[in-house]
């Protein structure tokens, strides 16, 4: 998208923290992205315990 700030959905996603479970990604290019390594179930549990709000897991039935 040429200018994500003109799209409310893109602007909302860009302004929030993002978490990616990966065994190979080391340097995510999307601003605000944290890579979850190792025990993903524990990492997600920690996020649920310490982050305010709801965790949204779009398009990732394997993680659920």
């Amino acid at each position: 998208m040429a200018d994500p700030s003109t799209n409310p959905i893109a602007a909302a996603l860009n302004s929030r923290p993002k978490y990616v479970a990966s065994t190979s990604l080391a340097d995510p290019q999307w601003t605000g992205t944290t890579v979850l390594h190792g025990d993903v179930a524990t990492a997600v549990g920690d996020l649920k315990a310490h982050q305010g709000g709801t965790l949204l897991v779009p398009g990732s039935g394997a993680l659920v």
Side-chain angles (χ1 to χ4, degrees):
M1 180 172 288
D3 184 4
S5 67
T6 63
N7 181 294
I9 294 171
L13 289 173
N14 286 336
S15 69
R16 288 177 174 73
K18 293 155 284 291
Y19 303 93
V20 177
S22 176
T23 58
S24 60
L25 182 63
D27 184 25
Q29 299 300 304
W30 198 356
T31 301
T33 300
T34 301
V35 179
L36 305 177
H37 297 286
D39 184 351
V40 174
T42 298
V44 171
D46 289 344
L47 287 171
K48 286 181 175 183
H50 297 102
Q51 295 291 328
T54 302
L55 291 176
L56 176 63
V57 184
S60 188
L63 182 58
V64 176

